[in-house]
Each structure stands twice: as C-alpha cells, then as structure tokens.
Amino acid sequence: MTKIDIISKISEQVGLQKPESETAVETIIALVKEALGGGDSVILRRFGSFQVRQKSQRMGRNPKTGKEASISARKVVRFKAGKYFKSAVNT
Amino acid sequence: MTKSDMAERLAAKLNITKQQAEGIINVFTNSIIEALSKGDKVEIRGFGSFRVRHRSAKEGRNPKTGAKVFVPPKKVPFFKTGKEFRLIVDGKETP
C-alpha cells in the first residue's frame, strides 16, 4: 500500500475530492515531521506514538569489513504501536 | 501533539471542520492498521514504511518470581523511518 491508496480511501470514506484528500495526507505527514523535527512527540491513541530519542555515541562495526567504527550521537524517530494496533496485527 | 491538535491544524489548512479533520486522521491511521493486519506493508516516500515483524517464540522468565514462562510467537507493527524524515529529526535538513 502506498500514499495513493490512502488518498483513495479518504476520498471514498470522507467524501472528499482526490486533490483535497492528497493535501490532507501531505499535511498529516508534514505535521508529524514538523513536530518531531522540533523535538515534540505525536500521540495518536489506538494507533501509536512517534517520539524523538537521543542516542549517544557508540562503537559499532562495519558488517562487511568487520572494522570497528564510531557511530556519532544522533536523534532518531521511535514509533511505538498502540494497544489496538498491536492486537490488530495478531488476530 | 495529540490527535486533537493535529485535527485543528489540518482543519485550518483545508478549511474544514475539526470533526471532519479528525475523521480524515482516523481513516489515515485505520488504513495503515488494516493493511498491516492483512500482512501488507505501507510505504510513504520521505516519511517511512510500516511493516509487520515476526517475533519467534521464546522462553522467558517472570521477573518477579524467576519462574520460566513460554512466550508464544507474535507479530509486531514496525516503523522504519524514511531518509528525509530521519535527516529532519537529526537536524540535518529543515522540514
């Protein structure tokens, strides 16, 4: 499934024209990116939450060459699925 | 940001009511949940992909009593951050 399929579903189920549905999807994605980019988290009940996690610097290994390399400190996105989402994939 | 905050901003952007915006957000999240429930994956360029990861059965322990327990195999939703999103969060690119 890709963005186009989500756009079609919104069109069908909410009764919005395709271009508006597309704007809606783009806006939702942009809002999530903006929030996380600013260090905020996004919490959507049932679905899950997106959070920023600070990772500290660590030593890693290049899996190809086996050479040790330092992995710099970074911020990463963490998605934690909600209870409903978790149970839905298991039924 | 909660769903309510998101709905307010989406409503302002599209010139629709907050209720309609909430409905759109629900269809968005529900379609992802439905796809993964069917074993399908969802790919959104620049944002990331959602897929199901399989966890095999394992022998666990009750942390309180130390008793062995059997943990059955299960499936878990997994989100892999897309490149653009990853760079934004790490401060290497502006949204």
Side-chain angles (χ1 to χ4, degrees):
Chain A
M1 187 164 87
T2 64
K3 198 156 66 181
I4 303 150
D5 304 301
I6 300 177
I7 293 166
S8 306
K9 283 203 172 161
I10 291 173
S11 259
E12 284 161 23
Q13 295 178 32
V14 187
L16 224 57
Q17 294 293 311
K18 278 266 169 76
E20 282 76 42
S21 299
E22 187 172 353
T23 308
V25 170
E26 297 290 1
T27 305
I28 291 169
I29 294 165
L31 288 170
V32 175
K33 282 182 181 173
E34 246 178 64
L36 279 272
D40 194 9
S41 49
V42 176
I43 302 162
L44 301 173
R45 294 206 56 194
R46 289 159 54 91
F47 180 64
S49 62
F50 294 93
Q51 278 176 332
V52 177
R53 284 221 167 166
Q54 177 70 52
K55 297 277 187 186
S56 44
Q57 192 204 334
R58 66 186 171 92
M59 290 307 284
R61 215 176 265 280
N62 182 327
K64 243 183 212 159
T65 63
K67 269 198 189 142
E68 275 207 348
S70 135
I71 297 169
S72 55
R74 64 189 62 210
K75 287 180 193 152
V76 296
V77 176
R78 159 150 164 101
F79 173 72
K80 194 171 178 238
K83 237 186 202 172
Y84 174 75
F85 193 176
K86 278 193 207 163
S87 69
V89 298
N90 271 292
T91 45
Chain B
M1 178 162 71
T2 60
K3 182 155 64 177
S4 173
D5 302 326
M6 187 186 270
E8 264 171 34
R9 291 185 216 182
L10 184 59
K13 173 93 185 175
L14 290 175
N15 238 327
I16 54 177
T17 68
K18 193 182 165 190
Q19 283 70 28
Q20 285 174 308
E22 284 209 13
I24 292 170
I25 297 166
N26 287 339
V27 176
F28 180 86
T29 54
N30 284 338
S31 42
I32 296 171
I33 294 173
E34 262 173 48
L36 267 69
S37 303
K38 285 188 280 186
D40 196 4
K41 59 178 189 286
V42 181
E43 285 176 335
I44 302 170
R45 297 212 69 192
F47 182 63
S49 60
F50 294 89
R51 59 190 73 211
V52 176
R53 283 212 166 164
H54 298 261
R55 300 257 180 271
S56 41
K58 60 171 187 179
E59 190 131 292
R61 269 181 199 278
N62 180 327
K64 240 183 211 160
T65 63
K68 276 188 187 170
V69 284
F70 173 75
V71 182
K74 64 177 170 192
K75 296 180 210 156
V76 289
F78 179 78
F79 174 70
K80 187 172 182 223
T81 316
K83 190 178 178 191
E84 197 198 319
F85 191 15
R86 199 170 69 224
L87 294 174
I88 289 168
V89 167
D90 205 22
K92 305 230 160 58
E93 204 166 289
T94 42

